[in-house]
Amino acid sequence: MVSSNYEDVSTMADLSEQDLSPRRYQRGEIVEGEVVRVDDDGIVVSIGLKTEGIVPPHEMRTLSQEERDGMQSGDSVMVTVKGGRGPGDMALLSLDAAKEEQGWLELLQHSKDGDTITARVVEQNRGGVVVNYLGIRGFVPFSQLAPTPSDTREQAIAERMGQEYPFQILEVDQARERLVLSERAIWQKQQEAERDQFLATLEEGARVTGKVTSLRGFGAFVNLGKAEGLVHISELAWSRIKGPEEVVSVGQELEVQILKVDPETKRISLSLKRTQPEPWESVPERYNVGDIVEGTVTRLADFGAFVRLEDWVEGLVHISELSPRQVKNPSECVYVNQQIRVLIMDIDPVKRRMSLSYKKAFGM
C-alpha cells in the first residue's frame, strides 16, 4: 500500500509545469465543462484544472427556467469561451453560443441525410415566418408554408406562433447564418400518401359525390375529397354538347360514376352521363313501329343512310328503303345533314338498332 502511494507521488512528480498549469482557451472554442453551482450571477462551470468560468444570464437565454432549475453540481454542459472576465474574475462562457454551434452541425448533417427538423415559429415578416431551431433563426417563405386560404392566412399564422412544426431543409449556410426551410414539401408528401390511400379505396363502377373545381374544353375536373378526377366531355351527357359549361358549372356538386382508376398516373376517369338513364333504354317508350318521324342524315354508306332521330339514337335506312326505284348509291336520294321524314320499321333496344324507311314515309 505504501509502495502504491510512492508510485502516485512519483507519477505526479513526472508531470510538467505545463500539465499542472491552467489551460489557456481560445476565444470561440467549445469545451465540455462540469457545473459547479448555479446562483443569481449565472452558472459556474469548471472547464479544466484550476479553471472556472461563468455563464451569465444573457448567455443562456435558450435555456428554459425548468432546465435551469434542474441543473445540479456535477452535470456536464457544453459551453463556448467568450473571452473577457465576469464576476470573481472568472472566464466568461456561453451556453447559447455552444448550443448554436452544435445546432449548425446538426443542421448540416440533417440536410445531408434528408431529414426533417422540428422548429418553433417565433415571428412573421413581409416574406414569410421566422422559426427558431436550437437558438438558430430560420426563414420559411410564404410560398413554402402549407397551403392556407389567402383570406385566413394572417389568422392561421398568428395561431401558430410559439408552436413547433416539422420542416424540410432547403438551404443551410453557417458562414452566412442562412437557414431556409420548407413546410410545403412535407405537406405535399403527406397529400400524396393520403391520395394513394384514397385511390386504393375506389372501385370502378362505384358512384361517388364530388364538386366541380374547373372546366376545360375537354371536360370537367371534379374534387372527390382526397383526389381529383376528370369527367371527359364525352361522359358529361348522352346528348352531344359543344362544351362542359352546357351541362355543369364550377362549384356544382355531382354524383358521378368511376370508370377507371390508374394507380401509376394517379388519374381517375369519371362519368356523369352513366348516372342517368341511357337514351336507348327508353326508346320503346317514345317510339313505335309504324311511326313517321323526322331525323337528320348523319352519314352515308354503300348499304344505306344513317339518320339521327335524337342525340345517341340513330337508325338505318337501307338502300332498298330509300326509293321505289333501284339506286346504286344513297347519295342519289339523300345527303348528309338533310332533314328527312322516315317510317320506323323495327326497333331493337338490346342491340340499339332501328330500321327505317324513307320511301314508305311517303307511301311509296
Side-chain angles (χ1 to χ4, degrees):
M1 192 72 176
V2 175
S3 172
S4 176
N5 286 338
Y6 277 123
E7 289 179 7
D8 292 341
V9 172
S10 174
T11 302
M12 293 292 290
D14 291 338
L15 294 175
S16 66
E17 182 178 349
Q18 182 178 358
D19 293 329
L20 296 173
S21 300
R23 178 185 164 190
R24 292 175 181 254
Y25 292 99
Q26 299 295 321
R27 184 173 183 175
E29 186 177 352
I30 298 178
V31 297
E32 184 176 5
E34 186 178 293
V35 175
V36 177
R37 66 178 183 277
V38 180
D39 55 32
D40 294 338
D41 291 329
I43 304 172
V44 177
V45 180
S46 171
I47 55 174
L49 191 62
K50 301 181 181 179
T51 304
E52 288 185 349
I54 186 167
V55 181
H58 66 272
E59 291 293 347
M60 53 177 172
R61 290 172 179 165
T62 58
L63 204 64
S64 68
Q65 188 61 47
E66 182 180 356
E67 290 174 322
R68 179 175 177 177
D69 293 342
M71 276 196 170
Q72 297 180 358
S73 176
D75 287 349
S76 294
V77 292
M78 299 300 294
V79 292
T80 296
V81 179
K82 296 292 289 183
R85 295 291 170 179
D89 203 34
M90 288 185 288
L92 281 176
L93 308 174
S94 174
L95 275 171
D96 295 343
K99 187 176 291 188
E100 181 177 341
E101 181 65 25
Q102 288 178 303
W104 283 111
L105 293 175
E106 288 184 17
L107 286 170
L108 288 169
Q109 188 61 49
H110 286 317
S111 179
K112 180 180 178 181
D113 296 339
D115 299 334
T116 60
I117 63 169
T118 301
R120 187 184 304 275
V121 179
V122 293
E123 63 181 81
Q124 176 185 348
N125 57 32
R126 289 187 301 176
V129 298
V130 177
V131 299
N132 183 291
Y133 175 77
L134 298 179
I136 300 172
R137 288 168 67 85
F139 179 62
V140 186
F142 284 133
S143 61
Q144 293 299 326
L145 286 172
T148 304
S150 56
D151 56 340
T152 61
R153 187 174 70 180
E154 293 295 327
Q155 179 182 350
I157 292 177
E159 292 175 352
R160 301 180 69 175
M161 290 298 162
Q163 304 298 317
E164 291 187 341
Y165 298 93
F167 296 96
Q168 187 175 45
I169 300 171
L170 295 183
E171 182 182 351
V172 54
D173 188 336
Q174 183 178 2
R176 297 168 58 196
E177 295 186 345
R178 180 176 172 82
L179 174 61
V180 183
L181 306 173
S182 172
E183 183 180 52
R184 176 179 283 272
I186 298 174
W187 176 85
Q188 288 175 333
K189 289 182 180 179
Q190 292 174 338
Q191 292 296 305
E192 290 174 5
E194 291 178 2
R195 184 167 64 249
D196 289 345
Q197 292 177 356
F198 178 70
L199 290 177
T201 66
L202 298 179
E203 296 182 3
E204 295 180 4
R207 293 189 179 187
V208 292
T209 302
K211 182 176 291 187
V212 179
T213 56
S214 63
L215 302 180
R216 297 290 187 273
F218 51 82
F221 286 96
V222 179
N223 190 320
L224 304 179
K226 295 296 183 181
E228 199 170 62
L230 172 67
V231 182
H232 191 269
I233 189 171
S234 63
E235 290 293 333
L236 280 169
W238 290 110
S239 60
R240 288 177 173 83
I241 59 175
K242 294 181 179 179
E245 63 278 357
E246 295 181 27
V247 181
V248 296
S249 58
V250 174
Q252 182 179 352
E253 289 194 355
L254 303 175
E255 182 184 41
V256 291
Q257 182 175 318
I258 300 172
L259 296 181
K260 185 178 180 181
V261 179
D262 190 333
E264 295 286 331
T265 61
K266 318 292 185 187
R267 292 177 180 174
I268 307 171
S269 299
L270 306 171
S271 175
L272 175 61
K273 75 180 186 183
R274 298 182 196 226
T275 64
Q276 303 163 354
E278 200 261 331
W280 269 100
E281 293 178 2
S282 57
V283 161
E285 300 173 10
R286 301 193 304 279
Y287 299 98
N288 296 292
V289 173
D291 287 350
I292 296 177
V293 295
E294 291 190 354
T296 303
V297 178
T298 58
R299 56 196 171 100
L300 303 178
D302 293 339
F303 50 83
F306 288 91
V307 179
R308 184 174 70 243
L309 304 186
E310 60 182 66
D311 286 323
W312 297 95
V313 177
E314 283 189 342
L316 172 66
V317 180
H318 191 269
I319 193 170
S320 62
E321 292 295 330
L322 281 170
S323 173
R325 64 181 176 84
Q326 186 176 3
V327 295
K328 295 181 178 180
N329 193 296
S331 61
E332 296 177 29
C333 300
V334 294
Y335 56 88
V336 174
N337 291 328
Q338 181 182 355
Q339 299 288 321
I340 63 173
R341 296 174 65 192
V342 292
L343 180 141
I344 300 176
M345 299 175 58
D346 184 60
I347 300 173
D348 189 338
V350 177
K351 294 183 178 180
R352 292 174 170 75
R353 292 178 181 175
M354 189 179 292
S355 298
L356 308 172
S357 175
Y358 182 50
K359 65 182 183 181
K360 290 178 181 176
F362 296 93
M364 294 184 286

